[in-house]
Each structure stands twice: as structure tokens, then as C-alpha cells.
Amino acid sequence: MYSAGVAVATVAVLFTGAGSAYAAGTPVQDPAVRTASAATAVPAATTPLPTQRQIADLFDRWNAALATGDANRVADLYAPGAVLLPTVSARVRTDRAGIVDYFKHFLESKPVGRIQERFIHILGPTAAIDTGLYQFTLTNKDGTKSKVDARYTFVYELRGGRWLIINHHSSVVPTGD
């Protein structure tokens, strides 16, 4: 029979996410395969869960980087090995040079993003997904403005104390249902 102390300790471990109930949502990784994230992630037992607001703020940080017009500043928000499936390019970008190249061209239109609808899922203390719909206002070379409605997914991972984008998919919203 359980003693009261064991029961309280078990509840405390499960509530804080340090027990097997938390681990059930964590992907199982082959110990022989080390990824960059496995090598640099902060141990889950010592890292608190991020808030929805903290994850939402990461889009604002990205949007502010776009406003600088500096493709390298934007690329700094992506982790090494990140995957970018960009809005206005058919080419998948999987390294920093490719990400910088994409943003050099995209930033020429002075994009300003605005979230229209979002869904944030906290996967654990070091991972979260922000997905939904956003709209870009673009400035054409003649100074006129146009709008592009797109859907997006940002997958973030906490690495070395910084939230970085590890996967970003963006595509124009198709017409119709």
C-alpha cells in the first residue's frame, strides 16, 4: 500500500512534468543518433514550459527582423539545419545560405506580416508550434502596396537558451474551400 509521502511525491513529479506522464509526449530518440537539437537542448526537467504569449512573441521578433531589411538578421532566427518552405519560392531552403538568399529577395518588397488566426501548441519545455493564417503587406517597386494571404507553421526549439525556428512552412492560401 502507498504511503502518503510516496503518493504526494508521485503527484508532484507528474505535475511538474518530470515523470513518465510528461515523457509520454516526448519523442523517443535512438541514443545512437544524435541530432543538433538533442545535443543542444536544455534538459526538460530543469526548463519550465513556455507560455502561449512567449511563443506568440517569437513571431513578433521574426516580423521585426523582417522590418530591418537585413536577410542575415532574419536568418539568425533560424537554427542550423532548419528547413524553410517559403511563401514565394518553390525551392526548399535547408541551410543558412539558402535562407539568407530567400530573404534577400523577399525583403525587397518590404514585407510586413500580421497574424489573422493562430493556434499555438506547447510540445514541452523546449519545443512549440505556432500555426495559422497571416497576411503580408508588400510594397511594390512603384510604391503601391499589395497583400498576400498565407498560411504558416513555425516550429520552435529552445537551443542554448534561445528560441530558434527549426521548421517554417508558408504558402499562399488557396482560393475556395
Side-chain angles (χ1 to χ4, degrees), residues 46-57:
T46 62
T47 305
L49 289 174
T51 65
Q52 299 255 330
R53 180 77 256 152
Q54 286 172 305
I55 300 307
D57 288 346

Side-chain angles (χ1 to χ4, degrees), residues 105-122:
H105 299 290
F106 185 60
L107 293 175
E108 290 172 356
S109 60
K110 299 178 177 73
V112 177
R114 184 176 59 84
I115 299 290
Q116 295 175 304
E117 183 177 11
R118 88 168 353 131
F119 304 91
I120 293 175
H121 296 280
I122 308 298

Side-chain angles (χ1 to χ4, degrees), residues 38-104:
T40 58
V42 177
T46 62
T47 305
L49 289 174
T51 65
Q52 299 255 330
R53 180 77 256 152
Q54 286 172 305
I55 300 307
D57 288 346
L58 296 173
F59 172 82
D60 296 336
R61 178 184 75 172
W62 180 81
N63 204 29
L66 293 181
T68 69
D70 182 346
N72 283 295
R73 292 262 313 260
V74 179
D76 287 345
L77 302 177
Y78 290 78
V83 175
L84 169 62
L85 296 168
T87 314
V88 294
S89 172
R91 200 169 102 221
V92 177
R93 313 303 170 112
T94 59
D95 60 20
R96 182 177 175 87
I99 292 170
V100 169
D101 176 67
Y102 172 74
F103 282 110
K104 276 184 184 175

